Amino acid sequence: MLCVRDVMHTDICRVERGSTVADVARTLLFHNADSALVVDGDELLGVVTERDLLGIVTDRDLLKAVLPTAAELSEADSFRAFTDLVAVARDHFAASTESVMTTPVRTIDESASLIRALGAMLSGRFHHMPVVGSEGQVVGMVTQPDLLRAVFMEWQHGAATH
């Protein structure tokens, strides 16, 4: 039976507390990642433990942070072009990471079942979860799409053997 360790990603993006939304967006784009762990500067390069996690910022958090709010949309006559959206987003890129990150960070043990991980994500209504090893160190990240892929692969394997 598969566990979280079997489907997690081990390349983890990190950003420092005090970063801006623009800093996080730049980091995610550079690393082709969809989430970043927020840590103090001391943990940017070394081993990150569960207690070092200050928050997590996802691509969805960034979209919510930079896209126009309902109030901004109702104030505007209309957004005629993509450049109008970029102009609105520009004002939001200076916001602090702390204003958009999710906290506290929910983690899961690397030996946990995929069902347990999916249950935690669905009940918590989040899509990314850091994975911790036996010593409490962050060893990876698991996402809902990772779990969907695993379920599909298991289903496909089962269908092929019948």
Side-chain angles (χ1 to χ4, degrees):
M1 177 182 281
L2 292 175
C3 65
V4 171
R5 174 186 319 106
D6 300 319
V7 300
M8 71 182 187
H9 299 273
T10 56
D11 49 338
I12 304 165
C13 228
R14 306 174 199 182
V15 294
E16 187 174 4
R17 173 200 305 220
S19 301
T20 64
V21 167
D23 296 330
V24 178
R26 196 174 296 113
T27 299
L28 293 183
L29 289 170
F30 180 77
H31 294 284
N32 194 27
D34 54 9
S35 65
L37 300 178
V38 181
V39 297
D40 276 323
D42 298 342
E43 286 85 25
L44 272 177
L45 300 174
V47 174
V48 175
T49 63
E50 190 172 11
R51 70 178 178 279
D52 297 326
L53 297 177
L54 304 175
I56 184 171
V57 178
T58 68
D59 51 357
R60 288 175 186 226
D61 296 328
L62 293 180
L63 280 173
K64 285 190 274 183
V66 300
L67 291 179
T69 64
E72 288 169 328
L73 284 172
S74 66
E75 288 174 10
D77 294 321
S78 68
F79 284 101
R80 291 176 297 284
F82 186 71
T83 54
D84 293 339
L85 288 175
V86 172
V88 170
R90 188 173 292 121
D91 296 336
H92 298 275
F93 276 118
S96 71
T97 300
E98 287 87 348
S99 69
V100 300
M101 72 183 185
T102 300
T103 184
V105 181
R106 299 256 322 257
T107 62
I108 193 154
D109 189 87
E110 65 182 337
S111 62
S113 71
L114 299 183
I115 294 298
R116 184 165 174 222
L118 184 58
M121 287 183 183
L122 292 174
S123 67
R125 301 183 73 162
F126 51 88
H127 298 92
H128 300 78
M129 193 161 38
V131 179
V132 294
S134 58
E135 309 277 323
Q137 73 282 16
V138 177
V139 295
M141 182 75 69
V142 68
T143 66
Q144 282 188 4
D146 297 332
L147 298 174
L148 177 60
R149 257 187 305 282
V151 167
F152 179 75
M153 296 304 285
E154 283 293 307
W155 171 81
Q156 192 174 23
H157 177 72
T161 59
H162 287 122

